[in-house]
Amino acid sequence: METVIEQQRRYHEERERIVDTMVKEALHKKNSHRDVINSEHRTKMLLDRYTDATENLKDLYDDKDSLRKDEIRNLSGPNEFKEFYNRLGVIREFHRLHPSEVSVPMSLEFEEYTKMRESTNEDFVNLVDFKDEEGYGKYLDLHEHYDKYLNLKGADKVDYITYVGVFDRFYEISKERKGLEYRKYLEGLLEYLYEFLTRIKPLTDFNLILKTAQKEFQIQWQAGQFPGWPVRKS
């Protein structure tokens, strides 16, 4: 079992290696749209790992159970040699019970990120799931939502190309046509667009963007200025 101080040392090393790997990832030349998306997803993996390591490190420094304080006291007190040999005994006992256990250096673990970036294996080349129609994040696939749009009451019977050019002009649809079925259509469209954006821009905080948009909506709504929903005159 790792001591508290050893855990702290390991988390500090992990954070430093993560930053180093992220810098190398940022400097690596991207030759295609696919390379850019894959790079951002690898960076997102590293960023999430950095966050986890930082939170664990903070918990150890907070020392709510006083284990770190006790460990430092034992190492710096009059019985420091006794504590040293106790720990040595624990290590020897562990290796006696697990003679085949191999400790993999963290440096080798982080080399896997380099191999992932340089690999031609399909699992690493196609890090993200996209439909063929989406061209690995270049294009939206709105066929499903187009079909639902055509089934809406009073919807204009336009072709797919025309729909792609006007699907986001919600303000052009009258309030009278915005019933329950329209709401279901809109929720499905929003879900797809949000999920698509998180696949092509994994480092962007879309939750923050949505919160900002909701605040702007509330201001416009309260003022009766939201497009497509004019205030009724009494």
Side-chain angles (χ1 to χ4, degrees):
M1 180 179 177
E2 284 185 322
T3 65
V4 174
I5 293 177
E6 173 56 24
Q7 290 181 62
Q8 289 180 310
R9 185 211 61 77
R10 178 168 54 81
Y11 284 130
H12 276 295
E13 178 187 356
E14 183 177 4
R15 281 162 36 105
E16 290 177 4
R17 291 190 181 277
I18 289 172
V19 171
D20 179 68
T21 306
M22 289 174 68
V23 170
K24 291 177 180 177
E25 182 68 54
L27 294 176
H28 185 73
K29 184 178 179 181
K30 289 83 173 173
N31 296 314
S32 66
H33 181 74
R34 180 188 300 269
D35 288 345
V36 173
I37 289 180
N38 286 344
S39 178
E40 287 205 11
H41 277 273
R42 285 191 294 268
T43 302
K44 182 66 165 58
M45 294 179 199
L46 291 165
L47 188 59
D48 289 343
R49 182 169 176 176
Y50 186 90
T51 300
D52 290 341
T54 301
E55 290 176 352
N56 291 331
L57 193 56
K58 181 179 182 301
D59 289 341
L60 291 173
Y61 276 113
D62 287 343
D63 199 25
K64 293 180 180 179
D65 51 12
S66 298
L67 290 178
R68 182 174 183 272
K69 180 180 179 181
D70 293 341
E71 185 176 329
I72 293 175
R73 184 178 64 248
N74 291 334
L75 288 172
S76 58
N79 299 316
E80 66 270 21
F81 289 109
K82 179 181 178 180
E83 180 68 18
F84 170 80
Y85 285 111
N86 284 340
R87 297 189 179 198
L88 181 60
V90 171
I91 294 173
R92 285 175 172 172
E93 180 64 13
F94 176 85
H95 286 288
R96 186 184 69 80
L97 296 174
H98 308 279
S100 301
E101 188 80 14
V102 178
S103 177
V104 179
M106 193 178 293
S107 57
L108 294 181
E109 181 182 350
F110 276 88
E111 285 181 9
E112 293 300 317
Y113 285 100
T114 301
K115 293 179 181 178
M116 184 189 303
R117 182 175 63 238
E118 298 175 352
S119 174
T120 57
N121 185 294
E122 185 175 350
D123 291 338
F124 295 140
V125 173
N126 299 316
L127 277 180
V128 194
D129 290 330
F130 286 104
K131 299 176 185 177
D132 291 340
E133 294 83 356
E134 292 174 326
Y136 212 80
K138 286 185 178 180
Y139 315 106
L140 292 169
D141 176 20
L142 298 174
H143 286 87
E144 178 183 345
H145 308 286
Y146 168 66
D147 292 337
K148 292 180 178 179
Y149 172 80
L150 291 181
N151 290 324
L152 291 175
K153 183 179 179 180
D156 298 330
K157 304 305 179 183
V158 298
D159 58 44
Y160 180 73
I161 299 300
T162 302
Y163 171 77
V164 170
V166 301
F167 79 93
D168 58 340
R169 299 180 186 176
F170 310 115
Y171 51 86
E172 294 184 356
I173 300 176
S174 64
K175 290 197 298 184
E176 290 70 26
R177 291 168 52 189
K178 295 177 178 176
L180 180 59
E181 290 304 313
Y182 176 80
R183 177 173 180 173
K184 290 181 180 178
Y185 155 76
L186 203 60
E187 288 174 344
L189 180 61
L190 175 62
E191 182 180 356
Y192 170 73
L193 293 175
Y194 180 85
E195 188 267 343
F196 180 83
L197 287 171
T198 57
R199 281 184 289 155
I200 64 172
K201 292 290 184 181
L203 296 176
T204 301
D205 188 350
F206 288 107
N207 288 326
L208 178 60
I209 293 176
L210 281 176
K211 288 181 180 178
T212 302
Q214 288 170 350
K215 289 181 180 179
E216 293 175 354
F217 162 76
Q218 290 295 337
I219 294 173
Q220 290 181 317
W221 182 265
Q222 293 297 331
Q225 299 174 348
F226 192 74
W229 291 85
V231 178
R232 290 184 178 180
K233 296 181 180 180
S234 55

